[in-house]
Amino acid sequence: MSDQNRPASEPLRLVDVQQAVTAELDRIAPVIDDLGARFADAGHELALVGGPVRDAMLGRRSNDLDFATSARPEVTERILRGWGDAWWDMGRSFGTIGCRKGDWVVEVTTYRSETYDPDSRKPDVDYGDTLAGDLGRRDFSVNAMAVRVPGREIEDPFGGVVDLAHQVLRTPGRPEDSFSDDPLRMMRAARFAAQLGFSVDPDVVRAMTEMAERLSIVSAERIRDELVKLIMAPHPRLGLTLLVDTGLADIVLPELPALKLERDEHHRHKDVYEHSLTVLEQAIEQEEARFGGKPDFVSRFAALMHDVGKPKTRRFLDDGTVTFHHHDVVGAKITRKRMQALRFSGDETDAVCKLVELHLRFHGYGTGEWTDSAVRRYVRDAGDELVRLHVLTRADCTTRNKRKADRLRRTYDDLEARIERLSEEEELAAIRPDLNGNQVMKILGIKPGPEVGEAYRFLLDLRLDEGPKSPDEAKAALLAWWAERSEGRPPAG
């Protein structure tokens, strides 16, 4: 049974591990046998290491292969240049040389260790001499296994196979030493829990909690990359919960634990923290229908962050109720600040923040009272994020009241149907005024300037309010607006 089909709680059998490894090594034989022989002929060791070995034991397949070698980077480069179709050395400072051979992507790294200076954001790289030493410096025992090639001897000095069978994450040595060497490994513990559905050894959790502040020396970009992998994993709740429980989230995503003490007046059975995790999971459930089953970071992260404005906007009223007025707008600003701090791209930041700001818009729809004009504005404001807004809005319903949930679902079904109908009739996705800028200038006899922009905005509002018009109708409306404007009266529309 492949890992994708096996329940996370079901233990692995040793016989299944052995069969999975044998099958995968046979599949990748054209790479490991040939490349292993080339390194051996050059007098050096080569071993398949880390994730590819772990995934082979889980029945997963990948054409991205990582190797460790006794050869120094210049020797590795020479061997790969004579074997691969293309090569690269962006990781040379870490001892890594990469290449592509047909459909295979290969990276070979010199035996090494990574240690952090207490005040440095970047690890120092020291080359090692043995495979066992290299494995001992890796993050977790399930990633500290290797297969020597071309002989295919399995090296498992730290019990990775046993931990894999028990679905637990442990460090090869003391977790305090591992996390001191590379604090980012604490984030990786949460990421692998989310990716594999594994539990984390209590000693590892304890060390993460005690050493959480150590993560502050790691660069924002490295933290961001781990966070993205966690969010995109099959079980992000596991990883996020671990970050919050250990205090790591206070450093990397403080907005998340801040939700834990806030009660949501719409979801009294759970706090906003639990609600947000549930919304994330419900957004993931829609990926098959909306995105062809592919994980979508923007919709997932927007689901997680959509209520982060609530702590700052919470107000207690005299009648005992609680309000969170404008938490959508405040939340969008908080989200932007966090994503900028983590060095996300401008496009990703804009997309997530737009969704956070718009996530309440549907609740003004009532039972379908919106005019066609309001529906057009909903589509215009969502822009390229309309599908993701559909995902977030539907995911945001976490009520246990089946009747209420069914009513909200039917109401949003109605809104989507109206959007589809209007889109077919009016091309809503590319909605524009019925006259362009050149036509406006010709009709009004004006030159480029602010007045053209005013006229354009009038025509756009007219288009949204009343739908498409013929050129003659649009011209008449524009001239009437211009006449009122010229007379100093507030223009119509």
Side-chain angles (χ1 to χ4, degrees):
M1 180 184 294
S2 72
D3 180 66
Q4 288 90 334
N5 297 322
R6 176 181 50 80
S9 59
E10 180 183 319
L12 287 167
R13 297 185 305 164
L14 184 58
V15 64
D16 292 333
V17 171
Q18 293 171 333
Q19 291 176 350
V21 170
T22 299
E24 180 64 359
L25 293 181
D26 287 343
R27 187 184 73 88
I28 64 178
V31 175
I32 61 175
D33 292 347
D34 187 12
L35 200 56
R38 288 172 180 263
F39 274 82
D41 290 344
H44 291 285
E45 300 175 355
L46 185 70
L48 185 71
V49 295
V53 178
R54 178 201 69 221
D55 288 346
M57 293 181 177
L58 290 171
R60 294 176 169 180
R61 293 186 169 191
S62 174
N63 283 8
D64 293 350
L65 305 178
D66 295 330
F67 295 87
T69 181
S70 59
R72 294 298 189 258
E74 59 273 14
V75 177
T76 297
E77 179 183 334
R78 185 169 64 249
I79 294 173
L80 293 184
R81 275 179 175 267
W83 177 77
D85 301 325
W87 69 278
W88 54 89
D89 67 349
M90 287 86 75
R92 182 183 291 273
S93 61
F94 293 94
T96 302
I97 306 295
C99 80
R100 179 179 55 78
K101 175 79 167 179
D103 294 332
W104 305 94
V105 175
V106 168
E107 288 195 340
V108 181
T109 303
T110 302
Y111 295 157
R112 67 186 183 181
S113 65
E114 288 183 2
T115 57
Y116 269 81
D117 181 274
D119 300 317
S120 173
R121 286 180 175 268
K122 296 182 179 180
D124 297 322
V125 177
D126 296 320
Y127 294 138
D129 299 316
T130 66
L131 176 59
D134 182 86
L135 296 177
R137 300 179 182 107
R138 292 179 180 266
D139 49 13
F140 303 103
S141 62
V142 297
N143 296 328
M145 299 179 288
V147 178
R148 292 183 181 272
V149 294
R152 300 195 184 183
E153 301 94 348
I154 294 178
E155 298 284 344
D156 181 21
F158 304 103
V161 172
V162 174
D163 288 343
L164 203 65
H166 291 120
Q167 301 178 348
V168 63
L169 293 172
R170 286 189 310 108
T171 53
R174 288 186 349 119
E176 292 84 0
D177 296 336
S178 179
F179 298 154
S180 180
D181 284 347
D182 185 354
L184 191 66
R185 288 173 178 168
M186 295 185 283
M187 284 285 293
R188 288 192 192 127
R191 188 245 291 184
F192 283 123
Q195 286 182 333
L196 302 173
F198 284 12
S199 63
V200 181
D201 182 80
D203 288 341
V204 174
V205 175
R206 188 179 307 113
M208 291 169 66
T209 304
E210 294 173 353
M211 301 178 67
E213 285 296 330
R214 180 87 169 129
L215 191 63
S216 61
I217 73 167
V218 180
S219 69
E221 291 83 358
R222 296 185 75 207
I223 290 174
R224 174 203 63 210
D225 291 346
E226 285 297 324
L227 182 62
V228 170
K229 292 174 184 177
L230 189 163
I231 297 293
M232 296 286 276
H235 316 285
R237 178 189 280 264
L238 291 177
L240 293 168
T241 300
L242 184 60
L243 291 182
V244 171
D245 291 347
T246 57
L248 290 171
D250 292 333
I251 298 170
V252 303
L253 197 64
E255 296 78 13
L256 184 58
L259 296 174
K260 204 166 187 179
L261 301 179
E262 302 300 326
R263 302 297 297 184
D264 185 338
E265 84 283 12
H266 295 303
H267 310 276
R268 296 184 184 278
H269 56 279
K270 64 188 74 170
D271 58 30
V272 181
Y273 168 73
E274 288 294 333
H275 165 69
S276 298
L277 293 177
T278 300
V279 173
L280 168 59
E281 290 177 324
Q282 294 187 166
I284 292 172
E285 291 172 1
Q286 298 185 58
E287 288 177 343
E288 181 65 39
R290 300 289 187 173
F291 309 116
K294 295 181 180 179
D296 183 69
F297 173 76
V298 169
S299 61
R300 290 189 180 199
F301 200 56
L304 183 66
M305 301 292 283
H306 77 285
D307 274 347
V308 295
K310 283 192 169 180
K312 283 194 174 183
T313 58
R314 183 175 62 161
R315 299 292 182 269
F316 296 96
L317 304 184
D318 293 339
D319 62 2
T321 58
V322 183
T323 65
F324 300 95
H325 293 313
H326 307 301
H327 77 267
D328 46 349
V329 177
V330 173
K333 293 178 180 178
I334 292 173
T335 300
R336 182 174 297 278
K337 184 176 180 180
R338 176 55 48 201
M339 294 186 73
Q340 289 174 340
L342 289 172
R343 307 290 192 269
F344 278 95
S345 70
D347 288 344
E348 279 186 314
T349 300
D350 289 344
V352 172
C353 292
K354 176 182 282 189
L355 293 169
V356 172
E357 186 168 356
L358 293 176
H359 83 271
L360 288 180
R361 182 72 66 85
F362 161 71
H363 294 286
Y365 189 70
T367 56
E369 291 86 358
W370 277 5
T371 62
D372 284 353
S373 171
V375 174
R376 294 186 193 102
R377 291 179 185 276
Y378 187 80
V379 173
R380 182 196 66 175
D381 291 347
D384 293 339
E385 306 308 322
L386 181 62
V387 172
R388 287 169 170 153
L389 184 57
H390 292 334
V391 170
L392 176 57
T393 304
R394 289 184 180 276
D396 195 23
C397 175
T398 61
T399 179
R400 293 178 179 176
N401 184 320
K402 187 177 185 302
R403 182 176 298 177
K404 181 179 179 182
D406 288 344
R407 184 177 70 250
L408 287 171
R409 177 184 52 78
R410 289 194 301 270
T411 304
Y412 205 84
D413 286 345
D414 177 69
L415 175 58
E416 283 205 62
R418 290 183 64 188
I419 290 173
E420 184 175 358
R421 175 178 58 78
L422 286 172
S423 295
E424 291 175 354
E425 295 174 356
E426 305 178 15
E427 297 182 359
L428 288 186
I431 196 165
R432 292 180 177 84
D434 296 296
L435 301 174
N436 61 35
N438 289 331
Q439 291 171 311
V440 167
M441 289 187 288
K442 182 177 180 180
I443 291 169
L444 299 182
I446 58 177
K447 296 181 179 180
E451 292 173 327
V452 178
E454 291 180 40
Y456 191 88
R457 285 190 292 275
F458 160 74
L459 289 169
L460 179 58
D461 286 339
L462 185 69
R463 171 73 168 77
L464 290 167
D465 289 337
E466 301 181 11
K469 293 184 176 296
S470 69
D472 288 341
E473 290 172 334
K475 178 179 179 180
L478 175 63
L479 289 172
W481 172 84
W482 183 252
E484 291 184 4
R485 181 187 182 281
S486 300
E487 294 173 5
R489 300 197 309 271

